Amino acid sequence: MNKFTQPMKITDKVILGQDKPVLFAGPCAVESYDICIEIGSTVKALAEKFGFSYVFKASFDKANRTSSGSFRSIGMDKSLEVLQRVGKELQVPLVTDIHESYQAAEVAEVVDVLQIPAFLCRQTDLLLAAGETGKAVKIKRGQFMAPEDMQYAVTKVRSTGNDNVCLTERGFSLGYHNLVVDMRGLPIMRQFAPVVFDITHSVQQPGGQGGTSGGQREFAPFLARAAAATGIDGFFIETHPEPAKALSDGPNLIPLDRMEGFLEMLFEAWELGRKYQDFNVR
């Protein structure tokens, strides 16, 4: 199967789609500076230990919560200030989601990667606005989208002259409150752009707890190893020191004190997958 030809440049030193896996990791949302710096500093050290390039992740707004009563944000300005401070202190690139076209330019002044949420992956104006910033654009595959159709989202971003784009897998909707991952989708999408596997949201149960989403983090190691074995380019993980107290997506989050073993396992699986990524039976 063919492979993309254009890697995604995040910074001069962090490039997705070359010989080093990129780890996008942090809390689900910007809860506070203290939480973000604790998670970011811990994960940065672990990423360096095991051989990942690291990009700090946190959402400045959770605009797609199941219930209107759920936590969304500490405020856009305050969240962006926290992200900027964390990036500067840790000297790492940043990624966060945007949900509206008008947010792209302002958020791009702070972060290095603009993430397009799965539900919005077909929104042409949003993709174009993200591409026009010149920043790297990370598109999550919609739970309703065929892998081969994600090439059109990539083309929309590239139509702005911005070739720094990647795709992210996070599972298909199968029935109610359930997601499954078709591993065939990873090499299919990897024909068009570098691919990241979203470990956290692949074990989510959307709306599965009556007004909030549930999750099955016990399956995260299995899906992570399987995805790594396909030879993909990066991983997306949300983590928290106390998942039960996290303000969003707690059931899916990897406990921060388990990240060391998780990342060691993940890198070993990635290395094995890369060894055999060019093997085929055609």
Side-chain angles (χ1 to χ4, degrees):
M1 186 167 285
N2 294 329
K3 175 191 161 186
F4 66 87
T5 58
Q6 181 66 50
M8 185 177 86
K9 182 178 178 181
I10 298 171
T11 68
D12 288 339
K13 295 183 179 180
V14 180
I15 300 176
L16 181 72
Q18 293 192 334
D19 296 328
K20 190 173 185 178
V22 177
L23 175 66
F24 301 83
C28 180
V30 176
E31 299 180 7
S32 68
Y33 165 77
D34 289 341
I35 287 290
C36 287
I37 199 67
E38 177 184 359
I39 294 172
S41 58
T42 300
V43 176
K44 179 189 177 184
L46 294 175
E48 291 174 349
K49 177 178 180 179
F50 293 116
F52 296 90
S53 294
Y54 178 49
V55 179
F56 178 81
K57 180 271 166 187
S59 297
F60 74 85
D61 180 22
K62 303 302 296 182
N64 59 349
R65 299 305 302 274
T66 303
S67 169
S68 62
S70 296
F71 170 81
R72 278 190 58 170
S73 174
I74 61 173
M76 182 174 181
D77 291 344
K78 189 173 181 180
S79 293
L80 291 178
E81 287 174 7
V82 169
L83 285 171
Q84 190 169 43
R85 184 178 173 189
V86 169
K88 184 176 181 180
E89 292 186 18
L90 296 182
Q91 291 295 293
V92 295
L94 304 168
V95 59
T96 196
D97 312 82
I98 57 171
H99 298 84
E100 304 280 354
S101 301
Y102 74 85
Q103 296 172 340
E106 182 176 356
V107 176
E109 293 180 3
V110 174
V111 307
D112 305 273
V113 183
L114 298 174
Q115 181 166 273
I116 307 299
F119 287 129
L120 302 177
C121 69
R122 288 174 58 108
Q123 296 297 103
T124 300
D125 290 345
L126 183 62
L127 291 165
L128 295 179
E132 287 166 355
T133 67
K135 292 298 180 76
V137 181
K138 181 176 177 290
I139 311 170
K140 288 195 174 187
R141 185 191 60 76
Q143 300 91 325
F144 46 86
M145 292 286 289
E148 59 269 24
D149 290 342
M150 291 304 295
Q151 64 182 297
Y152 305 113
V154 171
T155 300
K156 289 177 182 180
V157 173
R158 288 182 174 157
S159 73
T160 67
N162 184 350
D163 290 329
N164 283 321
V165 58
C166 74
L167 295 170
T168 299
E169 172 59 41
R170 49 90 23 95
F172 291 86
S173 294
L174 181 67
Y176 301 121
H177 309 313
N178 192 40
L179 297 170
V180 296
V181 178
D182 181 355
M183 294 297 167
R184 296 174 298 179
L186 300 173
I188 290 172
M189 292 195 298
R190 204 163 178 258
Q191 295 177 98
F192 319 122
V195 168
V196 174
F197 182 60
D198 180 346
I199 297 167
T200 297
H201 294 97
S202 293
V203 298
Q204 187 183 56
Q205 294 175 307
Q209 291 187 338
T212 61
S213 291
Q216 296 175 304
R217 74 166 66 92
E218 64 270 24
F219 291 113
F222 300 100
L223 292 180
R225 290 197 299 268
T230 69
I232 56 171
D233 308 286
F235 303 91
F236 177 100
I237 305 175
E238 291 178 346
T239 181
H240 197 279
E242 296 182 88
K245 295 182 179 180
L247 299 182
S248 59
D249 275 0
N252 314 321
L253 306 182
I254 304 299
L256 187 60
D257 64 3
R258 302 302 299 275
M259 282 290 285
E260 181 169 10
F262 197 97
L263 293 180
E264 181 178 17
M265 170 197 71
L266 190 59
F267 190 82
E268 290 178 1
W270 180 84
E271 283 190 308
L272 182 63
R274 277 303 174 105
K275 181 178 179 180
Y276 294 104
Q277 67 173 326
D278 295 325
F279 178 82
N280 68 76
V281 294
R282 296 186 65 180

